[in-house]
């Protein structure tokens, strides 16, 4: 199967991979460096005011840094969320990562159903052998039907 057939997948030999992830502008390590530099600047300014006789600036700088740190932690927790779908060696493997929680489900390709749940804009439900997984969270709703068609085409072998 040619890679030009697929819009969302990568073809590598006999395997087909879909890697759908959250679109994050800052990685967790970049966020750590940003936070460290913000701490240095904010505490430096607060210490300068404290040394010049304004003692309340420093406690408010600490409160600000704690609040920003909590917000950054919540962001970083979900920055690596994603969905990986792989068709290889007679298996369809769906791996979901959300907030550090990892879920893996395997299907036999000839027993899998792929369909939007409610409408063409809903999440895609991959089901078979009594198991069900919803994918497509990181694809725009108007493109989910195209992703579902692409997965069905790969499962049919062409």
């Amino acid at each position: 199967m040619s890679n030009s057939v697929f819009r969302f997948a990568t073809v590598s030999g006999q395997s087909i991979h879909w890697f759908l992830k959250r679109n994050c502008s800052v990685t967790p390590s970049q966020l750590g460096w940003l936070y460290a530099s913000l701490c240095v600047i904010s505490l430096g300014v607060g210490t300068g005011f404290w040394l010049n006789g304004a003692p309340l600036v420093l406690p408010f700088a600490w409160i600000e840094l704690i609040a920003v740190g909590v917000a950054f932690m919540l962001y970083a927790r979900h920055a690596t969320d994603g969905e990986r779908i792989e068709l290889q060696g007679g298996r369809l493997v769906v791996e979901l990562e959300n907030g550090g929680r990892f879920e893996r489900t395997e299907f036999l390709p000839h027993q899998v159903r792929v369909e939007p749940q409610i409408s063409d804009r809903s999440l895609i439900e991959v089901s078979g052998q009594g198991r069900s997984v919803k994918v497509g969270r990181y694809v725009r709703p108007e493109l989910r039907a195209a992703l579902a068609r692409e997965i069905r085409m790969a499962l049919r072998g062409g």
Side-chain angles (χ1 to χ4, degrees):
M1 239 179 252
S2 159
N3 199 23
S4 63
V5 173
F6 296 108
R7 178 177 183 178
F8 302 99
T10 303
V11 178
S12 175
Q14 294 297 320
S15 67
I16 304 170
H17 304 273
W18 291 267
F19 187 59
L20 313 169
K21 64 181 185 127
R22 184 179 297 271
N23 186 12
C24 294
S25 59
V26 180
T27 66
S29 64
Q30 291 171 330
L31 198 61
W33 284 107
L34 176 67
Y35 183 67
S37 63
L38 179 66
C39 287
V40 168
I41 292 169
S42 198
L43 292 176
V45 169
T47 302
F49 275 97
W50 180 71
L51 291 173
N52 285 315
L56 291 180
V57 174
L58 196 55
F60 280 103
W62 278 104
I63 292 169
E64 169 202 8
L65 291 174
I66 290 169
V68 170
V70 168
F72 280 5
M73 290 287 288
L74 292 173
Y75 172 85
R77 182 175 179 196
H78 290 282
T80 59
D81 288 358
E83 303 168 342
R84 182 182 174 96
I85 305 166
E86 180 179 2
L87 181 59
Q88 179 181 17
R91 292 261 185 234
L92 178 69
V93 179
V94 179
E95 298 174 341
L96 307 175
E97 185 175 350
N98 186 13
R101 202 178 102 234
F102 184 80
E103 178 184 337
R104 178 185 168 104
T105 310
E106 290 190 23
F107 299 96
L108 296 173
H110 63 279
Q111 296 179 353
V112 173
R113 287 182 50 191
V114 178
E115 56 191 32
Q117 256 190 322
I118 299 166
S119 68
D120 287 339
R121 295 174 64 90
S122 68
L123 291 178
I124 300 164
E125 186 171 15
V126 179
S127 59
Q129 296 103 21
R131 295 179 298 247
S132 176
V133 177
K134 295 178 181 102
V135 296
R137 285 169 192 80
Y138 308 111
V139 176
R140 291 193 331 245
E142 62 271 13
L143 297 176
R144 289 179 184 154
L147 175 62
R149 282 191 300 275
E150 190 173 294
I151 295 171
R152 279 189 218 104
M153 181 178 65
L155 288 169
R156 286 192 309 264

